[in-house]
Structures are given as C-alpha cells and as structure tokens.
Amino acid sequence: MQIYDHPTFRMACQQFDLVADHLQIPADDRDRLKYPKRSMTVALPIHRDDGRTEVFTGYRVQHHLTLGPTKGGLRYHPDVALGEVAALAMWMSWKCALTGLPYGGAKGGIACDPRKMSVTELERLTRRYTQEMIPFIGPQIDVMAPDVGTNEQTMAWMMDTYSVHMGSTISSIVTGKPVGLGGSVGRREATGRGVGYLVNRAMDTIKLDAAKATAVVQGYGNVGSIAALSMARNGLKVIAVSDALGGLFNAAGLDLWKLDDHVAKERTVVGFSEAEPITNEQLLVTPCDVLVPAAMERQITAANAGKIQCRILAEAANGPTTPEADEILAQRPEIFVIPDILCNAGGVIVSYFEWVQDLQSFFWTETEVVDKLFRILEGAFTQTLHLSRKQNVSMRLAAMSLGVKRVQEAKRTRGLFP
Ligand code: NAD
C-alpha cells in the first residue's frame, strides 16, 4: 500500500515478513495482518500566539480491531508521517497480543515541534486534533496515551475536549492522564520501570552482576530517565545519557538526582557540569553492560551494529534496531536483546490498568499496579525466552511470533470483518 511508504513502515513490514515466513502464515492471511484497518489524516488550523493561522497535519492509524478497542500513543515531533505512525501502530498490535491485553494497536501523531510552541499553542493544537478525531475514538473504539513530545497535560486536554463534546466526564477516553483526573498511579513511571525489571531478568539470564554493571541510555525523556533511575536503584552505574541536543559521559557514574534537577530547569541534559559532553553517535558505541536506546526509531543500523559494545541491548524505544542491524547482531551472540515489543510493554500494560480502573471507577494502590505489571512482564519474558531457546531463534523473532500468532488466530476464528 503506497500511502504508508516510509522507511519505518518498510522496516516493520520486513520484520513481519520474517515472522510470517517463520510461522508459515498463508499468503491470504498476510495482508490482513500487516496493513492497518483504518487511517485518518486531518488538517489542523490553529491561531499562533503572534496572530498567524497555521495548518498542521495530524494522523491516527488503527491497525486491527479484532481483539477489542485499539490502543496507542500520540506523538508530537517534526518528522511524524503517516507511514511512521502506521509502523508504530503495527508494533503496538504485536505488543498488546504478546502481553495478553484485549486491544489492537494504534498510533497517532502531529507533525510539529513542541519545543518551539507555547503551552497555549499546544493546547489549541491538541484540542483541535481531538475534535477532528471524535468520530473515530471512544473508550470502546480507540484510546490514546502519551508518546514522544506529549505528556499528562496533553492527555488532560484531550479528555476535557472529548468530555465537553459528549456532555459528561469520560476519563477512560485516554490513559496517561494526571492522577487527579482519573489517571493511574504508576503510569508515568510504568515504561521505564518495566525496562528496569526486564534488564534485571536479562542480567539473571546471562549471569551478570548488577553491582558491577554499567548502563548507557540514549534519550533522557519520560522512558529513558525512569529506566535510568530504575537501573541505578537496582545497583547499576549509569555512565552516559543523551537527548536530542547532545549527550553526557561520566565513567564514575552520573548523579541522576542532580541531573534531574538540571533537566527540570534547562529542559536538556546538555550543560550538566558533572560530566563530559559526548555525541549521540559516540554514546551508542560506548563500552557498557546495558545499552538502552530510549529515543527514536532506526538508531542501531548496519553502520553501528558491529561497533556497539554491550552485553544487553534493552530496546526501550519503539523500533530502534533496523532489520539489517538485526542480521549483524545475529552474528554477535554475546549480546542479549530485549526486543522493543517486550522491553517497553510496561507502558501499555499500565495504560490497560488505567482504562480498567476508569471503567470501574475503582482505583488501585501503587503496590497493586506495580505487582500486576511485573507479573505480566514476567510471563511475557519467560514465554519469549522459552520460545527463543526452544526454536533457536532471536528474542525478537520469538516475541513477534507470539504476538502475531495470537492476532492471526483471533482473525481466523472471528472471520473477515474486523
Ligand atoms: P519523550 O518525548 O519523553 O522523550 C524522548 C527523548 O528522546 C527526549 O529526551 C528527546 O530529546 C530524545 N531524543 C529525540 N530524538 C533523539 C535523538 N535522535 N537522539 C537522542 N535523543 C533523542 O518520549 P518518551 O515517551 O520517553 O518515548 C521514548 C521512546 O519510548 C519512543 O520510542 C516511544 O515510542 C517509546 N515508548 C514510550 C512509551 C511511553 O509510555 N511514553 C511507551 C512505550 C514506548
């Protein structure tokens, strides 16, 4: 399908084709599984603060409707394109199925640079996007959540716009909201915390001692900063981090609490005094035990996969490793990969908890949330590792096989409609 053509969509399709060959999925089933069920592109005119009117483009892709409502984040970034959103929606489908959540995958985005917009402009843009999406979303149809460039405030504006339209407060329309508006405790931390949990499980698996291990994190945003903190709490030394503007290195370990104060003031890690500056390219090849890409897609490529120097590659971002890089990593069995659809699944798992709590108007404690989160991650990790060893395939192929097979079986037993 030409409309989705984009390097990230081609990458998601290449990964799918490998799994489909491995599972021997008949040709008739492949296009149904691969291509999104629905996609929307909307024009979003807003007033800028200087009085100009500017039109932004927004997208939403709902990958499949077979297992329940669709679920997935909303991204604000200048490079957002329909094909990228479609790839992210497809990965969400496999992730939800791998972890047993009653959802299809979705993703949305607006091509904009939130760093160059005021809070009032972002509010107008978010409300306009929500308004345009009203015919296509709902607690039983499609539920959004934060992703790159969006946060709890974005979700609060969406929830408010939808509720005003419907005439009553409908908190289950989005997840990742502020706790005071029906958000779940532990949602903001869920993705990074899940990464920390799975890094521990991977360290157990390859017998790595956390107290002697070092970690490097690319992308010090919501996911990367919490993943770094979780690993530090588990005893690892975080020696390098970065964001879109640059990176930091300190062989003795970064003081993450001081770094967080710096980021709260400056909105970037750059300029932190207790570290040396490094580039994002240098960061990815820094020797360490655990490398955590937590920024954007296609960071580990054929150009650098042979040079990364870690024992565990924990894919906190979606799609950080290209299929060409995967081929190189297959020749490097010393690197244990926690694939993205498993590694960052903590976010959608706690989003599911938030949706369930909102639908029931019955809220859980943080202990309950974290305990249930770790149980689901444990099950998915164990099943993936077991299949990878049993079939002698990569962790990515194992995780994707589990996800794709569940969606395929559901489509088979339901019929052609969803
Ligand atoms: P975020 O906007 O909070 O943070 C992203 C960070 O990455 C920022 O610090 C940004 O400056 C940095 N960054 C962007 N481009 C970069 C580049 N080229 N090099 C280095 N750093 C760069 O976003 P987030 O919510 O933390 O999402 C990060 C990743 O995790 C994305 O791939 C997202 O899809 C994935 N993810 C997020 C969640 C969630 O719950 N937020 C859940 C699952 C997966």
Side-chain angles (χ1 to χ4, degrees):
M1 280 196 197
Q2 241 358 71
I3 56 164
Y4 299 116
D5 193 38
H6 184 275
T8 308
F9 189 69
R10 286 200 289 276
M11 170 180 157
C13 289
Q14 258 175 288
Q15 290 176 342
F16 172 82
D17 291 339
L18 283 174
V19 178
D21 289 345
H22 177 71
L23 293 174
Q24 299 182 326
I25 294 178
D28 273 7
D29 284 352
R30 292 192 185 200
D31 284 359
R32 274 183 79 202
L33 279 163
K34 193 194 289 187
Y35 292 112
K37 183 76 183 165
R38 290 183 189 147
S39 60
M40 279 72 72
T41 301
V42 288
L44 306 168
I46 62 155
H47 292 304
R48 298 298 300 248
D49 291 344
D50 62 8
R52 283 180 304 124
T53 299
E54 190 169 342
V55 182
F56 293 86
T57 309
Y59 307 95
R60 185 72 180 166
V61 174
Q62 299 168 351
H63 182 247
H64 79 81
L65 314 174
T66 314
L67 287 164
T70 48
K71 186 85 194 77
L74 174 67
R75 176 174 291 196
Y76 289 180
H77 190 277
D79 298 338
V80 163
L82 182 65
E84 180 196 52
V85 173
L88 290 160
M90 199 195 306
W91 287 324
M92 278 301 290
S93 288
W94 316 143
K95 189 186 306 180
C96 292
L98 168 67
T99 47
L101 307 183
Y103 294 133
K107 205 78 179 190
I110 303 178
C112 67
D113 190 345
R115 293 183 67 96
K116 295 190 181 143
M117 297 176 73
S118 69
V119 173
T120 47
E121 288 172 335
L122 286 170
E123 176 173 357
R124 288 196 284 275
L125 186 62
T126 304
R127 289 187 184 277
R128 185 68 204 232
Y129 174 82
T130 312
Q131 183 68 41
E132 295 298 332
M133 286 294 148
I134 281 174
F136 310 105
I137 58 175
Q140 300 300 338
I141 302 169
D142 184 16
V143 180
M144 301 206 198
D147 190 73
V148 174
T150 56
N151 55 26
E152 292 181 0
Q153 178 62 70
T154 323
M155 294 303 116
W157 291 325
M158 296 193 85
M159 189 270 246
D160 182 67
T161 307
Y162 186 80
S163 298
V164 166
H165 183 87
M166 302 307 280
S168 65
T169 297
I170 303 181
S171 50
S172 51
I173 184 61
V174 287
T175 60
K177 300 175 290 294
V179 171
L181 291 181
S184 176
V185 287
R187 171 60 187 91
R188 190 191 309 151
E189 301 81 4
T191 313
R193 203 176 246 166
V195 173
Y197 180 86
L198 293 165
V199 164
N200 261 2
R201 290 296 285 110
M203 287 195 300
D204 289 347
T205 308
I206 64 166
K207 303 196 174 31
L208 205 71
D209 181 358
K212 294 186 190 137
T214 54
V216 165
V217 179
Q218 185 204 34
Y220 201 71
N222 172 304
V223 176
S225 63
I226 305 287
L229 198 61
S230 301
M231 291 189 293
R233 287 203 170 122
N234 293 339
L236 287 90
K237 195 159 68 176
V238 179
I239 57 169
V241 300
S242 68
D243 61 27
L245 303 182
L248 303 172
F249 174 79
N250 182 340
L254 293 159
D255 183 331
L256 297 177
W257 287 266
K258 277 194 194 162
L259 177 61
D260 285 346
D261 285 345
H262 172 86
V263 173
K265 273 193 228 115
E266 306 296 331
R267 295 174 69 209
T268 173
V269 298
V270 174
F272 182 58
S273 57
E274 296 178 18
E276 298 159 32
I278 53 168
T279 65
N280 265 294
E281 293 72 33
Q282 289 167 326
L283 174 127
L284 289 174
V285 297
T286 300
C288 60
D289 294 296
V290 184
L291 176 61
V292 184
M296 303 297 286
E297 306 90 59
R298 295 183 289 119
Q299 299 297 306
I300 299 175
T301 62
N304 61 8
K307 296 185 203 146
I308 63 174
Q309 302 184 60
C310 62
R311 296 293 317 285
I312 294 170
L313 176 61
E315 295 182 342
N318 286 304
T321 309
T322 65
E324 296 74 28
D326 269 340
E327 282 177 26
I328 296 167
L329 293 178
Q331 306 306 316
R332 300 190 60 191
E334 75 278 13
I335 299 179
F336 183 96
V337 178
I338 313 173
D340 52 359
I341 61 166
L342 170 63
C343 192
N344 65 37
V348 71
I349 294 169
V350 178
S351 272
Y352 165 61
F353 297 163
E354 182 172 328
W355 179 71
V356 168
Q357 291 171 76
D358 286 338
L359 290 175
Q360 300 185 339
S361 296
F362 179 65
F363 291 89
W364 310 349
T365 64
E366 187 150 1
T367 315
E368 284 172 280
V369 168
V370 175
D371 176 61
K372 288 184 170 66
L373 164 67
F374 289 171
R375 279 168 199 263
I376 295 183
L377 287 176
E378 180 60 35
F381 180 85
T382 311
Q383 285 178 47
T384 304
L385 183 65
H386 178 73
L387 191 67
S388 148
R389 288 186 168 164
K390 189 171 140 203
Q391 300 188 343
N392 193 23
V393 295
S394 70
M395 285 287 282
R396 184 179 328 282
L397 192 59
M400 284 194 53
S401 297
L402 289 164
V404 170
K405 203 171 168 44
R406 283 177 193 152
V407 179
Q408 184 203 8
E409 278 167 5
K411 281 195 182 287
R412 275 237 149 146
T413 39
R414 273 197 65 169
L416 276 186
F417 181 72

